[in-house]
């Protein structure tokens, strides 16, 4: 099983291992395929040194790529080409390790900026579910006056585990051990369910609304809209207790 990167808009796989030719690293998409020009840049569009993380871009067009949006050429330019001059903006966060291997961090909206460090929600979620007590986890970034963003985690425990403060601290320490201290969640809320669509996708957008104490967005696509209301109530109660 290999990881690859591509989009519907690119029309083909852009970053992938070549069978029999590329040494794999589990979880890494490895390198751009021959003829593909991919890079990682910072907020200003400057290439990020290796190792390092930022925004994934393509710096060389490819024949199969989307060439426009029917009836809306301005939207096409604004979405993919206007953010960085001469670069195709994929909308994904990525990093390269010391060997130059590409690691995809997910959509930019799902990449948190904690004290200048880009941390993928997927990375933290994977670390949490790697703990024997955790069945499922969802992570979001929430505004923080000190670090810019802080990590908030919503955790479902496996049967037989009690949601205690000592377990929450154990999970924070576990994430710090797996990823690093900068990735330690500031808050962990234990819950019995997560807001999911009918197809099973976690609605992180709604969890961000909860974490930021905002009005909930559209919940019509949820399999059970009452789930997020319950999470909101528990989150507010926990916040009041901490305050």
């Amino acid at each position: 099983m290999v990881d690859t990167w591509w989009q519907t808009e690119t029309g083909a796989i852009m970053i992938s291992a070549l069978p029999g030719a590329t040494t794999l690293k589990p979880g890494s998409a490895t390198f751009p395929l021959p003829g593909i020009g991919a890079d990682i840049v910072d907020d200003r569009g400057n290439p990020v040194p290796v190792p390092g993380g930022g925004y994934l871009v393509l710096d060389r067009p490819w024949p199969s790529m989307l060439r426009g949006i029917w009836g809306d050429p301005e939207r096409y330019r604004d979405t993919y080409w206007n953010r960085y001059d001469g670069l195709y903006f994929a909308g994904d966060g990525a990093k390269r390790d010391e060997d130059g291997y590409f690691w995809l961090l997910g959509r930019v909206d799902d990449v948190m900026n904690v004290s200048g460090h880009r941390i993928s929600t997927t990375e933290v979620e994977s670390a949490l579910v790697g703990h024997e007590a955790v069945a499922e986890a969802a992570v979001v970034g929430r505004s923080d006056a000190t670090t810019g963003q802080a990590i908030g985690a919503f955790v479902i425990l496996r049967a037989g585990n009690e949601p205690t403060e000592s377990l929450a601290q154990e999970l924070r320490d576990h994430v710090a051990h797996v990823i690093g201290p900068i990735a330690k969640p500031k808050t962990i809320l234990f819950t019995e369910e997560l807001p999911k669509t009918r197809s099973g996708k976690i609605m992180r957008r709604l969890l961000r609304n909860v974490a930021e104490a905002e009005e909930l967005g559209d919940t019509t696509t949820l399999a059970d809209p009452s789930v997020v209301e319950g999470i909101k109530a528990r989150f507010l109660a926990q916040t009041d207790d901490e305050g």
Side-chain angles (χ1 to χ4, degrees), residues 12 46 51 72 98 107 122 150-151 161 173 189 191 197 203 210:
N46 300 314
D72 200 348
E98 61 278 1
R107 300 300 295 169
T122 304
I151 299 173
N161 294 279
D173 293 340
L189 179 72
T191 180
T197 64
M203 294 289 284
V210 171

Side-chain angles (χ1 to χ4, degrees), residues 17-82:
L18 287 171
T22 309
T23 300
L24 300 178
K25 287 188 179 184
S28 170
T30 67
F31 304 104
L33 292 171
I36 305 299
D39 202 355
I40 297 174
V41 301
D42 60 20
D43 290 322
R44 298 185 177 182
N46 300 314
V48 173
V50 177
Y55 302 102
L56 181 65
V57 296
L58 299 177
D59 56 18
R60 189 184 309 151
W62 189 249
S64 66
M65 289 174 62
L66 179 75
R67 299 185 184 186
I69 296 176
W70 178 258
D72 200 348
E74 190 64 30
R75 180 184 174 193
Y76 169 70
R77 288 190 292 269
D78 288 344
T79 302
Y80 302 104
W81 294 100
N82 281 356

Side-chain angles (χ1 to χ4, degrees), residues 83-159:
R83 180 158 180 159
Y84 304 118
D85 186 35
L87 298 174
Y88 173 87
F89 175 58
D92 288 323
K95 65 180 181 180
R96 279 176 294 203
D97 62 20
E98 61 278 1
D99 298 318
Y101 279 64
F102 281 72
W103 299 75
L104 283 307
L105 303 179
R107 300 300 295 169
V108 169
D109 288 345
D110 291 333
V111 177
M112 302 166 290
N113 192 334
V114 182
S115 296
H117 297 267
R118 298 189 184 282
I119 302 171
S120 165
T121 56
T122 304
E123 283 184 296
V124 182
E125 289 167 357
S126 296
L128 285 167
V129 298
H131 190 282
E132 60 184 8
V134 177
E136 196 168 0
V139 167
V140 297
R142 53 183 299 201
S143 299
D144 186 89
T146 303
T147 60
Q149 277 191 307
I151 299 173
F154 299 82
V155 173
I156 298 175
L157 295 175
R158 293 184 181 276

Side-chain angles (χ1 to χ4, degrees), residues 165-207:
E165 180 53 40
S166 61
L167 178 55
Q169 186 58 50
E170 183 179 333
L171 294 179
R172 292 189 189 97
D173 293 340
H174 175 73
V175 173
H177 175 72
V178 173
I179 303 176
I182 196 68
K184 182 184 290 188
K186 184 173 183 178
T187 59
I188 291 181
L189 179 72
F190 294 112
T191 180
E192 295 180 355
E193 295 182 87
L194 291 170
K196 295 181 180 180
T197 64
R198 295 176 185 86
S199 61
K201 180 181 178 181
I202 296 173
M203 294 289 284
R204 289 184 183 83
R205 167 178 59 79
L206 295 174
L207 293 177

